[in-house]
Amino acid sequence: MKKIYNNLETLKYVFILIALAIVVFSVWFTNSLAHKLATEESRKIEIWAEATRQFILADENTDIDFVSSIIEGNTTIPVYMVDDKDQIIFSRNVKEPLKNKEEFYAAEIARLKAFRAPIEVRLDKNTVQYIYYDDSLLLKQLHYFPYIQFSVIFVFLLMAFIAFSGTKKAEQNQVWVGLSKETAHQLGTPISSLLAWQELLKTKHPDDKLLPEMGKDINRLRIIAERFSKIGSQPELKQEDLVTTIENAINYMKSRTSEKVEISLSYDKRPIVSNLNVPLFEWVIENLCKNAIDAMNGAGKIHFALSEHERFLQIDVSDTGKGIERSRFKTIFKPGYTTKRRGWGLGLSLTKRIVESYHHGKIFVKQSEIGIGTTFRILLYK
């Protein structure tokens, strides 16, 4: 299962890199076209400026038809012709405002002067005029096109990802709930049968010391079935003592764990009350203990630190296990993720679901160091 998740993570990054490569190529290609178009427009304006000069200097014997066709041929590039004092002489392909024309042209000339050098049109030794020109609308659109294209692609991919994730999550939830309900249902019949056999054995062997232990295990099966039956429906939360709930779960784990594992609990005061579903929250504690025991290879220390704050209750669960890579802090909560050869990898996923979906809290990896240990943090909001 770990290999599958590693492959999925790798595939995800491959897709991201491919998408980035497409965007980079699109931006580069469009900017290359824009540069070529800008160069072409610059040449056209130089020809246009010379045609304008020839038109101004033409006399009655000069054929101005060809020159006029060049001047009239510019229908896209905004041009401004000014004198040596930057006073506008005429403009072309410029949308003038209805008011404050002088201020408009002064601002445009100042902007273009900072943008590029003007083309000088010398009419004689003492008369010089200048032509400023702006990018055509097509060239401006070409500059912005890659970013618009990227935005559209990003929004489309985001919507597709949200839709796909929502559908996938809904399907996973249906499978998860169905499996849980069916498990609870299948456990119900043998548990009822075991209870009946226990009562029968009590009547025939009232002094048997093993029967109470059998009763504890049967009751444990009943609790497990109850837990599974609550998956998929909103469980009832009641004001319960959080310290007692954690202690009960720890005591259960101690009785079924090697003496090489030390489990301890510290808290500021007692009682610390929270809205809980006790069977489900005990399941959270048990899953965290099992996860820690696996990480410690069956030997080490697990410590629960419980504290109360103004807006939330905090539970830190620390172990002396092998630690978790930072890149896996979120992955470990995904269904199916496990480092063990056997197992479905549902423990931490179930834990997260119980804490966040049913108790409206938060669980995350607070810190972890390879070879030193890991601390999980649970927040239960008041």
Side-chain angles (χ1 to χ4, degrees):
M1 293 300 293
K2 186 177 180 181
K3 284 185 177 181
I4 293 175
Y5 270 93
N6 287 338
N7 291 337
L8 288 175
E9 288 292 316
T10 302
L11 190 61
K12 180 175 71 174
Y13 289 122
V14 168
F15 278 123
I16 291 174
L17 288 175
I18 291 174
L20 288 175
I22 292 173
V23 171
V24 169
F25 175 76
S26 176
V27 172
W28 172 82
F29 183 72
T30 308
N31 284 341
S32 176
L33 290 178
H35 177 72
K36 291 179 180 179
L37 182 59
T39 302
E40 187 66 24
E41 287 189 356
S42 178
R43 291 173 181 169
K44 286 181 178 180
I45 288 300
E46 289 177 357
I47 296 172
W48 189 89
E50 179 59 25
T52 301
R53 190 181 73 84
Q54 294 290 341
F55 183 83
I56 295 172
L57 296 176
D59 54 25
E60 64 276 3
N61 297 320
T62 304
D63 184 5
I64 61 172
D65 291 341
F66 177 70
V67 175
S68 298
S69 65
I70 294 176
I71 296 174
E72 295 296 328
N74 175 24
T75 59
T76 58
I77 305 173
V79 290
Y80 306 79
M81 192 164 193
V82 299
D83 59 19
D84 55 357
K85 296 180 180 179
D86 289 341
Q87 296 298 312
I88 193 74
I89 298 174
F90 74 88
S91 62
R92 185 174 182 83
N93 302 323
V94 177
K95 187 176 181 180
E96 294 183 343
L98 298 176
K99 298 179 180 179
N100 303 320
K101 293 184 180 181
E102 293 183 2
E103 290 83 351
F104 167 76
Y105 280 116
E108 286 294 286
I109 297 304
R111 179 179 66 85
L112 294 172
K113 184 179 291 187
F115 182 52
R116 60 165 62 95
I119 298 175
E120 182 180 293
V121 179
R122 182 168 293 279
L123 302 179
D124 53 44
K125 292 182 179 180
N126 300 320
T127 307
V128 179
Q129 296 176 348
Y130 300 93
I131 292 178
Y132 291 91
Y133 65 97
D134 201 359
D135 292 335
S136 66
L137 180 60
L138 177 62
L139 183 55
K140 290 179 179 179
Q141 291 174 339
L142 201 57
H143 278 302
Y144 291 115
F145 177 74
Y147 306 102
I148 297 173
Q149 183 186 37
F150 173 73
S151 300
V152 172
I153 293 173
F154 176 78
V155 170
F156 175 77
L157 291 177
L158 180 62
M159 292 176 64
F161 174 78
I162 293 173
F164 176 76
S165 298
T167 303
K168 185 178 180 182
K169 188 174 182 180
E171 291 176 352
Q172 288 176 342
N173 286 338
Q174 289 178 355
V175 173
W176 179 270
V177 172
L179 178 62
S180 300
K181 297 288 186 184
E182 182 63 21
T183 301
H185 177 72
Q186 293 294 335
L187 285 173
T189 301
I191 289 173
S192 299
S193 179
L194 287 171
L195 285 170
W197 280 110
Q198 183 192 21
E199 293 302 318
L200 180 61
L201 289 172
K202 282 181 179 180
T203 60
K204 292 186 176 183
H205 307 280
D207 298 327
D208 194 318
K209 296 181 179 180
L210 294 178
L211 286 177
E213 294 301 318
M214 180 186 293
K216 290 180 182 179
D217 286 336
I218 295 173
N219 185 60
R220 182 66 185 174
L221 286 173
R222 183 187 59 78
I223 292 173
I224 292 172
E226 181 184 356
R227 288 172 176 174
F228 277 107
S229 68
K230 293 180 183 297
I231 300 298
S233 57
Q234 191 62 37
E236 182 181 358
L237 304 181
K238 296 181 180 179
Q239 287 283 299
E240 303 284 356
D241 183 3
L242 184 57
V243 178
T244 301
T245 302
I246 295 176
E247 280 181 338
N248 290 339
I250 288 176
N251 290 334
Y252 173 79
M253 292 302 302
K254 282 182 176 179
S255 65
R256 286 158 176 79
T257 304
S258 167
E259 294 181 355
K260 296 179 180 180
V261 176
E262 179 184 334
I263 308 177
S264 58
L265 168 65
S266 63
Y267 47 86
D268 296 337
K269 62 176 185 176
R270 189 169 191 165
I272 298 178
V273 179
S274 179
N275 278 328
L276 296 177
N277 181 279
V278 172
L280 288 181
F281 202 79
E282 286 181 350
W283 204 356
V284 168
I285 304 304
E286 292 170 18
N287 281 337
L288 289 174
C289 285
K290 291 175 183 177
N291 184 74
I293 292 169
D294 289 336
M296 299 186 302
N297 294 321
K301 295 181 180 180
I302 305 171
H303 181 67
F304 289 79
L306 174 58
S307 58
E308 184 172 11
H309 302 268
E310 183 178 352
R311 295 176 51 249
F312 57 87
L313 304 177
Q314 177 178 299
I315 308 168
D316 283 347
V317 186
S318 303
D319 63 57
T320 56
K322 56 189 176 183
I324 305 168
E325 296 176 1
R326 179 168 292 275
S327 61
R328 305 294 177 194
F329 278 12
K330 294 183 179 180
T331 308
I332 60 172
F333 291 104
K334 294 181 179 179
Y337 180 85
T338 178
T339 57
K340 296 180 291 184
R341 292 184 179 180
R342 295 183 179 181
W344 288 9
L346 297 177
L348 288 178
S349 173
L350 177 62
T351 298
K352 185 178 181 68
R353 185 185 183 95
I354 293 173
V355 172
E356 298 189 356
S357 297
Y358 297 152
H359 289 84
H360 314 295
K362 189 74 176 176
I363 182 170
F364 54 91
V365 180
K366 178 179 178 289
Q367 63 181 25
S368 185
E369 294 185 48
I370 302 299
I372 296 178
T374 301
T375 298
F376 287 87
R377 171 163 289 179
I378 300 174
L379 302 177
L380 297 176
Y381 298 99
K382 296 181 178 179

